[in-house]
Amino acid sequence: MPGLPSNLQRPYSLITNKYFDMQPVKIIFCIDKLIRGGTELQLIGLINQLDRNRYTPYLLTIRESSPDLTPANCVHLNWQVKKLFSLSGIMSLIKLVRFLRNEKIDVVQTFFQDSTLFGGAAAFLAKTKVRIACFRDLGFWHSKKQAVVLKWVYGKMTGFICNAEIVKSHFSNSFSLPREKMALLRNGIDVAALPYVEHTGPIQHIGIVGNMTRHVKRTDLFIRAAAIVHKSYPSICFHIIGDGHMRPELEAMAKQLGVFHQLHFAGRVADVTGYLGTLDLGVICSDSEGLSNALLEYMFRGVTAIATSVGGNPELVEDGVTGLLVPPDNEEALARAMETLIENPLLARQLAASARHKVESEYSWEKCIAMHNHFYQEQLAAFRT
């Protein structure tokens, strides 16, 4: 199939004819909880896009989740597993093993550390045919002790999905995982829902999309850079789209730096796509990143991207061609990049146009689903042979 990685090149028609004519594949997705985050929204989109004639999806969340985000036509196991390594955690693990066996689940696919430990161990004990772990960042949250336990679980998985080359290399090297078991499957984007906005006139609005729940996203760096830019360009309005427990301290920082009234803390926004249409520049300034969904949406929407040169960001942004790259943890470099585009709006428009051309040829739900179909069936075929 054109566009598929070399390790997924088995003739698609053979797999489709042999396995999709049988009963729908039962697949359970395990994730900590549902929030409006990049990985969570990608999972929701994946479940919604799956062909129900081919798959029967289940969703397991082990933390309190937003009920309004639950995918349609999908069995949702809304469990509360507060501590994995506890008596209640072990009882929940046994419960999941029984569920996997009783429901005759074919595929278990996990996201994030806790859900991979929980779902991966249960899948192995239940002898589930296909056990897949997803890697979508660079594992910045691992402690040494956690890494030891995760390595055991990874050794029991039958395959791995990565969303960026850098993520694939990182986990292969860090955990000695066989690269032939790792598939590079890009994010899916609803291209039709992200029409390109061609901005004209001066740069007025600069924003960042990301929940304020983890320091690694570096919303503080965005605020510090905004304070620098404000000194020379006091009319610029800055936007922070997202929410989280770190918001009060970030608001206090903005006040201390004298830029609070130029910063709009938008909170959680239901229509992020619509909001992006108002932004001229979009920033991703994380210290660690997989393949940023927000960065992809900037590039689709005509928002000129400025990103730190970490993780999968350079796979999306070619410096000076489809956006600007800056070193991480450097508010002065980030501020200079903003000022460069404020002073050169024509350059900003050229970068945005090139970015749209790049991403619309590589990212779509149609392509994403086709590659997931192929990977699942390759995994099932390997089990049956």
Side-chain angles (χ1 to χ4, degrees):
M1 184 176 183
L4 288 173
S6 58
N7 63 325
L8 299 181
Q9 287 294 336
R10 186 175 177 185
Y12 184 65
S13 59
L14 295 181
I15 298 172
T16 300
N17 293 338
K18 187 173 182 180
Y19 299 113
F20 277 146
D21 289 341
M22 301 172 68
Q23 291 297 316
V25 172
K26 291 185 175 183
I27 178 169
I28 185 167
F29 299 93
C30 305
I31 194 166
D32 293 6
K33 60 182 178 180
L34 294 183
I35 62 171
R36 293 189 183 278
T39 295
E40 294 84 356
L41 293 177
Q42 276 292 302
L43 173 56
I44 293 166
L46 174 61
I47 294 173
N48 285 331
Q49 296 281 338
L50 286 176
D51 184 348
R52 295 306 191 265
N53 292 320
R54 296 180 171 184
Y55 300 98
T56 299
Y58 299 73
L59 173 66
L60 169 63
T61 52
I62 61 173
R63 306 282 190 268
E64 188 65 36
S65 297
S66 301
D68 59 313
L69 294 178
T70 304
N73 196 15
C74 173
V75 176
H76 181 202
L77 309 178
N78 188 17
W79 294 4
Q80 301 301 309
V81 186
K82 295 182 179 180
K83 291 185 178 181
L84 300 184
F85 301 103
S86 65
L87 179 58
S88 63
I90 293 171
M91 295 302 294
S92 294
L93 181 69
I94 295 171
K95 179 182 175 182
L96 180 56
V97 171
R98 288 173 178 166
F99 179 86
L100 297 176
R101 288 174 176 168
N102 292 339
E103 288 292 309
K104 295 181 171 58
I105 298 296
D106 300 297
V107 179
V108 172
Q109 183 170 331
T110 67
F111 299 79
F112 298 142
Q113 173 184 302
D114 284 0
S115 294
T116 295
L117 290 172
F118 186 68
F124 172 69
L125 294 172
K127 298 182 180 178
T128 303
K129 303 169 187 175
V130 175
R131 305 180 293 275
I132 302 169
C134 292
F135 302 136
R136 301 183 61 85
D137 54 40
L138 298 183
F140 58 88
W141 28 260
H142 288 161
S143 69
K144 290 183 179 179
K145 183 183 295 185
Q146 291 163 341
V148 170
V149 181
L150 281 169
K151 187 170 184 177
W152 180 87
V153 173
Y154 292 154
K156 308 305 177 186
M157 307 305 271
T158 64
F160 307 92
I161 292 175
C162 308
N163 65 346
E165 283 286 359
I166 187 68
V167 174
K168 184 177 180 180
S169 296
H170 171 80
F171 277 91
S172 176
N173 296 333
S174 298
F175 292 93
S176 301
L177 301 178
R179 293 181 69 88
E180 63 271 15
K181 288 188 176 184
M182 308 179 79
L184 177 63
L185 306 186
R186 301 293 191 184
N187 288 9
I189 295 291
D190 185 352
V191 177
L194 289 164
Y196 183 79
V197 176
E198 186 171 357
H199 295 275
T200 59
I203 304 297
Q204 290 292 332
H205 298 276
I206 303 175
I208 183 171
V209 175
N211 289 318
M212 290 173 272
T213 55
R214 295 181 293 176
H215 180 70
V216 71
K217 293 299 182 182
R218 296 308 303 271
T219 307
D220 64 308
L221 198 73
F222 177 79
I223 295 172
R224 294 181 192 280
I228 295 172
V229 172
H230 174 66
K231 294 176 183 178
S232 301
Y233 300 95
S235 65
I236 297 293
C237 183
F238 299 91
H239 304 255
I240 299 177
I241 301 103
D243 214 336
H245 67 273
M246 295 175 63
R247 178 170 174 170
E249 66 183 83
L250 292 168
E251 289 179 337
M253 173 188 290
K255 291 175 182 177
Q256 183 180 8
L257 293 173
V259 74
F260 181 74
H261 296 294
Q262 285 68 43
L263 268 167
H264 176 51
F265 284 82
R268 297 195 189 280
V269 175
D271 182 17
V272 175
T273 298
Y275 203 114
L276 290 181
T278 68
L279 299 182
D280 300 296
L281 310 181
V283 173
I284 294 295
C285 51
S286 309
D287 287 337
S288 179
E289 196 69 62
L291 196 78
S292 169
N293 217 50
L295 187 52
L296 271 171
E297 291 181 350
Y298 294 163
M299 298 171 77
F300 267 104
R301 201 74 170 101
V303 181
T304 308
I306 302 173
T308 43
S309 54
V310 300
N313 291 349
E315 294 180 36
L316 286 173
V317 176
E318 184 180 352
D319 189 38
V321 178
T322 57
L324 296 182
L325 290 175
V326 298
D329 194 26
N330 190 327
E331 64 262 33
E332 293 180 356
L334 180 57
R336 283 197 302 271
M338 294 180 188
E339 291 174 346
T340 294
L341 296 178
I342 292 170
E343 294 163 3
N344 297 277
L346 178 59
L347 172 62
R349 290 194 287 271
Q350 290 171 342
L351 296 176
S354 295
R356 172 71 189 206
H357 178 72
K358 173 182 173 63
V359 295
E360 70 182 357
S361 65
E362 298 179 17
Y363 298 86
S364 69
W365 272 119
E366 182 181 9
K367 188 169 185 178
C368 179
I369 292 297
M371 295 182 75
H372 276 79
N373 283 338
H374 201 83
F375 183 66
Y376 294 149
Q377 299 310 314
E378 280 284 333
Q379 289 279 302
L380 288 166
F383 176 83
R384 291 182 173 96
T385 55

